[in-house]
Amino acid sequence: MDPPKSPSLEEPKPESSKTQISKPLKSILKRRPSFDPYRGVKDGSRSDSSLTSSISELTQELSVDAPVVMLNQAKISELFNKNVDKKLYPCFTLMTINGTLLAYSDVEDISVFRRQTAIISLCWKDHAEVLKKKDSESSAAGASAKTSIDTAFLETLTIETDGANIIARLIQPKLLVVLIGGVPPNRQIDFRMTPEKPGDPRYPSTEFKQDEPSMEQASTSASKAPAKELTEREKDIKLGLLHIQRKKLDVVAGFIKNKFDEGGFVMDQSFA
């Protein structure tokens, strides 16, 4: 099973080992049609050939009384479909923490997919509530206020099951980008959840140690040149499948978050 390349939003060169984001042709954001006869703003969304340029132009056109920015769900689904891998990460979704599906890649079994997203929603809310309670208790006990404001929320949740590795990332309050990843056939593990707050160690760890030679190998290779450093691709393979999936989720979620920020999109909290 070949791992993806390292995170990058640039177009890859031949033989490059860097992970890329495959971008859709049109913007992942669109404008709500305007009905103000005095402004004369035409309705509909743009159809620019570049995602980056379309977001830039959109933000330049917005003003205080301009049409609000909306999700282009079809283009987000297209973005997801361009970045899936049937074995490594067969599914991506954009959803609220309450389980509302906003966009997702093509799925083979919609019933299994909906069960998985329901589990994500339940687990996320449970862990978020635990963190909130702990923060309240710390504040009541006189803990420093510096650790309460920015770090007391759930940022990433990793769920490991027999059938899937699921990684959810908060990109806005109540808005998640989720990767549902494949696992080896017939894997049997205990249901496991790993929550992360801002500043927590990344899971899984990226710490990597070269294999230490045995005494016999050390004695025979003492006069030889030092062992060659592993490439990033080789390190990814040794760090494992979950690391590769987390690496991809970091890139996709970061890309979408940046485009939402540039385009001025903020999720309606009443809807989420």
Side-chain angles (χ1 to χ4, degrees):
M1 181 182 297
D2 293 334
K5 303 172 185 179
S6 305
S8 172
L9 297 181
E10 302 294 333
E11 291 298 327
K13 298 179 181 179
E15 304 299 325
S16 171
S17 64
K18 293 193 173 183
T19 298
Q20 67 183 56
I21 277 285
S22 300
K23 294 178 276 190
L25 296 180
K26 298 182 181 179
S27 171
I28 60 175
L29 300 177
K30 60 184 179 181
R31 294 179 298 160
R32 178 181 296 166
S34 172
F35 298 98
D36 183 352
Y38 300 101
R39 288 184 55 84
V41 180
K42 296 181 180 180
D43 58 359
S45 59
R46 284 195 170 271
S47 57
D48 301 287
S49 60
S50 167
L51 177 64
T52 304
S53 63
S54 66
I55 293 293
S56 176
E57 292 177 15
L58 176 62
T59 56
Q60 291 172 4
E61 292 183 4
L62 289 176
S63 63
V64 174
D65 56 348
V68 298
V69 182
M70 300 173 63
L71 286 177
N72 190 333
Q73 293 169 302
K75 290 305 170 184
I76 296 176
S77 295
E78 182 182 341
L79 171 69
F80 288 154
N81 281 326
K82 287 179 178 291
N83 286 279
V84 298
D85 180 283
K86 290 184 177 180
K87 293 182 179 180
L88 296 174
Y89 18 80
C91 183
F92 290 92
T93 182
L94 178 70
M95 60 180 283
T96 70
I97 62 174
N98 289 329
T100 302
L101 300 176
L102 303 175
Y104 51 89
S105 58
D106 296 338
V107 295
E108 294 184 1
D109 191 328
I110 190 65
S111 61
V112 171
F113 170 65
R114 289 189 181 279
R115 285 198 299 271
Q116 289 172 328
T117 55
I119 290 172
I120 295 166
S121 176
L122 289 172
C123 294
W124 186 276
K125 287 188 286 187
D126 285 348
H127 280 283
E129 187 63 30
V130 169
L131 289 178
K132 184 178 179 181
K133 183 177 179 181
K134 286 182 177 179
D135 180 59
S136 298
E137 292 174 349
S138 297
S139 299
S144 173
K146 292 182 179 180
T147 62
S148 302
I149 304 295
D150 297 325
T151 62
F153 66 90
L154 182 59
E155 183 179 51
T156 306
L157 181 64
T158 303
I159 303 172
E160 299 168 78
T161 71
D162 289 344
N165 289 330
I166 301 171
I167 313 173
R169 167 69 51 73
L170 189 74
I171 61 170
Q172 285 188 9
K174 300 187 178 181
L175 190 60
L176 304 173
V177 173
V178 179
L179 177 151
I180 301 177
V183 297
N186 303 317
R187 182 173 80 163
Q188 294 184 350
I189 63 169
D190 294 332
F191 186 88
R192 183 186 311 157
M193 294 184 289
T194 307
E196 296 174 46
K197 299 180 299 181
D200 282 351
R202 186 241 206 208
Y203 180 80
S205 173
T206 56
E207 292 184 5
F208 178 82
K209 294 182 179 180
Q210 294 271 42
D211 293 334
E212 296 184 0
S214 63
M215 294 294 292
E216 182 179 351
Q217 290 173 326
S219 61
T220 57
S221 61
S223 59
K224 297 182 180 179
K228 182 181 178 181
E229 287 290 328
L230 295 179
T231 65
E232 186 172 358
R233 181 184 179 86
E234 291 170 332
K235 290 179 181 178
D236 285 341
I237 294 174
K238 285 187 173 292
L239 286 170
L241 177 61
L242 185 59
H243 158 75
I244 293 167
Q245 292 164 339
R246 171 62 183 264
K247 199 172 180 180
K248 183 70 172 183
L249 185 274
D250 288 344
V251 176
V252 173
F255 179 82
I256 294 176
K257 183 182 186 303
N258 289 340
K259 293 309 171 186
F260 283 2
D261 291 345
E262 291 175 19
F265 172 77
V266 178
M267 185 67 190
D268 186 345
Q269 298 301 297
S270 62
F271 177 76

